[in-house]
Amino acid sequence: GAGVSQSPSNKVTEKGKDVELRCDPISGHTALYWYRQRLGQGLEFLIYFQGNSAPDKSGLPSDRFSAERTGESVSTLTIQRTQQEDSAVYLCASSLGAGAIGDNYGYTFGSGTRLTVV
Amino acid sequence: RKEVEQDPGPFNVPEGATVAFNCTYSNSASQSFFWYRQDCRKEPKLLMSVYSSGNEDGRFTAQLNRASQYISLLIRDSKLSDSATYLCVVNRGGTSYGKLTFGQGTILTVHP
């Protein structure tokens, strides 16, 4: 598609329920990233997929969080047993991916999923 | 110490003013540098990349000082539409060179 598409745009869930967030990156973008942004805060890295390489999961805050990606297309972020502190905007981004060190390429973000845990 | 540090502001300036934002990064292996802009309740959008020699895009000028690990953004002739949060972003390089680290952002408000 023309941009990064995320769904749903808004999600309200009860504490303890599982949620699944979806990201459809720009076609041809090999790299895909998930970030979290709490209200009034900066972007917090969660996970990064690059082609067929093992994902960098170093930012996932707990084992309740997991993410999958099918090839170089759609990714899903799953949060199990949601807690109120999980409330945030979850942003997905994609990029052309790792070029040479020092390449200046940027991300394109989706408009995010606003998750509210009540 | 945070990997990328910015003065959070807020900066409140009149239209037409020149304003400068600074950013420092802690990892000397960082390879790529960017400024992003984020409007209220919107996703961040790439404003400009930052090149070693410095670069300009219209009213915006970015500078990089690798020795001091310092990045700056200068906005000349500020417009009301420049009001936003400006994010300093660094690619740490090495094996994670696809991953960008974001500063907390600097809030700019341009008033009439």
Side-chain angles (χ1 to χ4, degrees):
Chain A
V4 177
S5 176
Q6 290 189 247
S7 61
S9 55
N10 280 284
K11 176 72 177 178
V12 179
T13 190
E14 291 182 355
K15 179 180 172 182
K17 300 281 191 184
D18 298 352
V19 295
E20 191 173 276
L21 313 180
R22 177 188 168 105
C23 173
D24 205 339
I26 291 173
S27 179
H29 279 193
T30 60
L32 185 147
Y33 316 80
W34 285 97
Y35 282 77
R36 175 168 73 176
Q37 188 171 31
R38 292 192 169 109
L39 187 64
Q41 303 295 312
L43 273 74
E44 177 187 2
F45 168 76
L46 297 177
I47 188 169
Y48 157 48
F49 296 90
Q50 170 57 48
N52 294 319
S53 302
D56 177 353
K57 302 180 181 181
S58 60
L60 295 178
S62 78
D63 59 8
R64 296 187 296 105
F65 288 72
S66 62
E68 299 292 331
R69 188 181 185 194
T70 306
E72 293 185 353
S73 61
V74 171
S75 174
T76 54
L77 176 69
T78 302
I79 309 173
Q80 295 177 309
R81 305 181 302 281
T82 52
Q83 304 294 315
Q84 287 184 326
E85 62 263 28
D86 299 335
S87 296
V89 176
Y90 288 82
L91 290 160
C92 175
S94 71
S95 74
L96 285 171
I101 296 279
D103 274 356
N104 276 305
Y105 55 88
Y107 292 176
T108 300
F109 279 90
S111 54
T113 294
R114 186 172 300 278
L115 175 66
T116 304
V117 182
V118 297
Chain B
R1 182 186 172 188
K2 293 179 181 175
E3 281 194 61
V4 181
E5 295 209 57
Q6 296 182 247
D7 180 348
F11 286 68
N12 293 296
V13 303
E15 276 186 288
T18 296
V19 61
F21 306 139
N22 302 320
C23 168
T24 57
Y25 60 95
S26 61
N27 189 330
S28 59
S30 299
Q31 297 289 340
S32 304
F33 310 90
F34 309 87
W35 284 101
Y36 277 70
R37 169 193 170 128
Q38 186 172 26
D39 293 296
C40 188
R41 299 177 74 85
K42 297 285 189 182
E43 73 274 19
K45 292 185 178 177
L46 179 64
L47 178 66
M48 60 195 300
S49 299
V50 185
Y51 298 103
S52 297
S53 54
N55 49 298
E56 189 173 303
D57 183 1
R59 298 181 294 107
F60 299 84
T61 300
Q63 296 281 348
L64 168 64
N65 184 321
R66 285 186 185 272
S68 301
Q69 296 179 202
Y70 171 96
I71 307 161
S72 66
L73 177 68
L74 182 78
I75 306 175
R76 291 182 300 278
D77 188 24
S78 299
K79 311 292 185 190
L80 295 176
S81 58
D82 293 334
S83 297
T85 298
Y86 289 83
L87 302 167
C88 176
V89 186
V90 172
N91 175 322
R92 293 190 296 139
T95 57
S96 62
Y97 60 93
K99 184 174 80 180
L100 302 183
T101 300
F102 287 75
Q104 291 290 99
T106 298
I107 299 170
L108 171 66
T109 302
V110 182
H111 57 81

